[in-house]
Structures are given as C-alpha cells and as structure tokens.
Amino acid sequence: MAHSHSHSHHHHHAKNKKALFASFCIISAFVVVVFLGGLFTNSLTLLSDAGHMLSDALSLGIGLLAFKLGEKAINSKMTFGYRRLEILAALFNGLLLIGIALLIIYEALQRFAQPEEVSSVGMLAVAVVGAMINLIVAFLLTRADTSENLNVRAAFMHVMGDLLGSVGAIIASILIMWFGWTMADPIASFLISIIILKSGFEITTMSFHILMEGIPMNTEVKKIREALLDIQGVIGLHDFHVWSVTSEFTALSCHLVIVRNEHDRVLKDALKLLQDEFHIEHATIQVERAQAELDQLEPHRCNTYS
C-alpha cells in the first residue's frame, strides 16, 4: 500500500492570501462610503450595494482567517490539519449572500408599492466610485487562483455581484435624473438581488458537496477507473473512492487486483498515472494478488463500487 501527496499548492496559497488581504482592506474602507451615500440619497440600490459590499468584507475577512487557521500544522486530532475551514468559510459566505439577497428583495417589493424620492446626482457619484473600486478588487482577485480555490472564487463572485450592483446603480440614477423614473431604483436593486441570490446558491451548493465528500468538480471518475484498469497486470479494481478534502485537494483510495507478483511496478505506474493525467497527488492504493481461482478473471468482474 502506498500514498502520494505533493505540497505544490503553497505558491498558490501565498498568492491567494495576498490578494484576499488587499481586497479586504479596499472593500472594508469603502463599505461606509456606499452605506452613507445610500442613506444620504435615499437609494435602495446603493444600500443594497453597501449590504453586498459588507458581505464582501465579511467573506474576505473570514477567508483570510480560514487561510491562517488552515496553515496550522497537522496534529493527532486533525490528520488533514485545518484546511477544511476554507470550505466552512465559503459555506458561510454563500448563506450570507442568500440572506442579503432576500432582504433586498423584500425592501424592493415595499418600494414598488410606495416609490420614494431619490437624490440621483449623489447616487450616480457614489455608484461610479463604487464601480471603480470593484473593478480594482476584481482585478486583484483575478491574479489569484479563482478557478481552483473555492474561498477565493466565493470572494470573486461577491465582487462581481458588487460590480453589477454598481452598474445597476449608475443606470438607475441616470434614468431617475433624466426621466424622473423613481421606479428604476427598486427595479435595479431587485435585479441585483437576483444575481446575488444565484451566486449564493452556487457557493452554498459547492461547499455542501465538498463537505459531503462528493466527487470533485471536473473529475471524470469513469476515465480514472478505466485508466487504472488499463495498467499492465491489473485485472480488477474495488473499494474505489474519490473525494474532495478542500476545493483544491482531491484524495483517492482503491484496491488494485493483480495476477502476477508485480506489486511495486503496478503501484508506481498507478501513482504516476493519477498524478500526471488526473492531477491527483494524494492517493492511497492497495495492490493485492488475485486468488488462484480468480487468475482468469476478466477486468469487468471486479469493476464495481464497494
């Protein structure tokens, strides 16, 4: 039996942490500006944008905390360390987004019934600055690993939702300014909340899938099984499991059945195959000899889930 794991994620980890920290500082400093702007102009769109930016700041802060705790060493009680805190943080972010979106929808529906006056000039000024801030933060996060790390991806989705919110606020303020259409404010905030809600559900679903040790995203289990069975000398495979420890840490375990006494060679080939072709660097494989009466066994006879 053998196990393989590489620590090549450290470079990405440091880069992600720097991007999250810079984004956290910028967003935190600007939340108050947008919130006061929303109060001063009586704009629900700006207030919803401020609420979303507050959730950004919280999510980025929680993300940083998760990264910090995730660096704690593996110990006798936590054999994978604290890295899964990143997923718990992402789950919290997703639920927070859903809560904020539902609150904005409720407020928007209230304003549909009773439209209120909005100071369009102030609303436009705050929205333009907000859009610029969100563009800067989005750029910072694109330099991090948004494709693999769920926490960074959650933060990026927050900020993109914010950017759309700022764009919505700009359009709404122009419509109010030029046409006196006060309904543009609740309509824009309602549309923003739908986008926020979608992001929240996506992040929550992905986090839940990982916590339930589901098959990692973009992992083709059937191809992995077929590739392992194609290794010379392998006649069967069982007790096969693939799961996510975190969004960027995939683990695999299985038993390979062989006919001839080639344990070391088969094991080496299997670990190399998983690392080179499927980027699975944490694998635990047991190679076992087939019983004499199973020597003529066809591969498909053992090709079942345990």
Side-chain angles (χ1 to χ4, degrees):
M1 186 185 290
H3 146 273
S4 158
H5 178 51
S6 160
H7 296 283
S8 61
H9 70 277
H10 284 311
H11 172 68
H12 287 304
H13 184 85
K15 194 165 71 168
N16 290 342
K17 200 164 66 170
K18 279 183 184 175
L20 281 177
F21 181 71
S23 303
F24 173 72
C25 292
I26 295 167
I27 292 283
S28 297
F30 200 66
V31 168
V32 180
V33 177
V34 179
F35 179 71
L36 291 175
L39 285 179
F40 179 74
T41 60
N42 196 32
S43 167
L44 181 61
T45 305
L46 283 186
L47 286 173
S48 65
D49 209 16
H52 195 193
M53 289 185 93
L54 175 64
S55 78
D56 283 356
L58 285 171
S59 73
L60 289 164
I62 292 162
L64 284 166
L65 181 66
F67 270 126
K68 199 69 188 166
L69 290 170
E71 289 168 358
K72 289 179 76 172
I74 289 168
N75 57 49
S76 59
K77 289 184 179 178
M78 296 284 189
T79 56
F80 276 119
Y82 291 83
R83 294 179 63 191
R84 261 207 169 170
L85 280 169
E86 292 176 26
I87 307 305
L88 288 173
L91 179 63
F92 178 85
N93 295 345
L95 292 171
L96 188 65
L97 277 177
I98 291 169
I100 286 170
L102 293 174
L103 187 65
I104 297 165
I105 289 169
Y106 175 77
E107 288 295 327
L109 291 173
Q110 297 289 96
R111 288 211 181 183
F112 279 128
Q114 291 181 315
E116 295 182 20
E117 284 298 315
V118 178
S119 174
S120 55
V121 178
M123 179 180 171
L124 179 62
V126 176
V128 168
V129 178
M132 289 165 65
I133 293 293
N134 284 312
L135 277 171
I136 292 166
V137 174
F139 173 72
L140 284 172
L141 289 174
T142 54
R143 299 181 70 184
D145 192 12
T146 54
S147 61
E148 294 294 327
N149 185 279
L150 186 56
N151 225 36
V152 178
R153 189 171 169 183
F156 182 74
M157 286 168 81
H158 271 274
V159 173
M160 290 312 292
D162 255 352
L163 183 57
L164 287 168
S166 297
V167 171
I170 290 167
I171 294 166
S173 61
I174 290 169
L175 287 171
I176 295 165
M177 194 187 300
W178 288 356
F179 305 106
W181 193 35
T182 52
M183 289 292 278
D185 185 48
I187 287 170
S189 61
F190 186 83
L191 292 174
I192 292 163
S193 65
I194 297 299
I195 295 162
I196 298 170
L197 198 61
K198 182 177 178 289
S199 298
F201 273 119
E202 283 178 7
I203 295 163
T204 304
T205 304
M206 284 188 285
S207 305
F208 184 75
H209 182 76
I210 291 172
L211 290 172
M212 291 301 292
E213 296 192 343
I215 292 165
M217 295 186 73
N218 305 319
T219 300
E220 296 183 77
V221 174
K222 190 181 176 186
K223 282 190 177 179
I224 297 172
R225 292 167 64 82
E226 286 172 353
L228 288 170
L229 284 164
D230 282 342
I231 294 172
Q232 187 184 352
V234 174
I235 63 160
L237 176 153
H238 64 94
D239 286 317
F240 178 83
H241 303 283
V242 187
W243 70 98
S244 302
V245 177
T246 70
S247 54
E248 52 189 5
F249 182 175
T250 297
L252 178 147
S253 69
C254 69
H255 290 219
L256 297 179
V257 183
I258 60 172
V259 180
R260 290 178 293 279
N261 191 16
E262 297 178 305
H263 289 74
D264 292 348
R265 197 264 307 158
V266 168
L267 189 57
K268 186 180 174 184
D269 288 353
L271 292 174
K272 188 174 187 304
L273 169 82
L274 290 170
Q275 191 162 354
D276 294 351
E277 290 192 29
F278 300 103
H279 311 293
I280 296 173
E281 298 172 340
H282 187 106
T284 304
I285 298 172
Q286 181 167 319
V287 181
E288 55 193 46
R289 186 85 183 270
Q291 296 172 25
E293 64 268 21
L294 298 179
D295 280 351
Q296 302 304 313
L297 187 67
E298 292 297 323
H300 70 270
R301 289 280 299 280
C302 278
N303 190 13
T304 58
Y305 284 97
S306 63

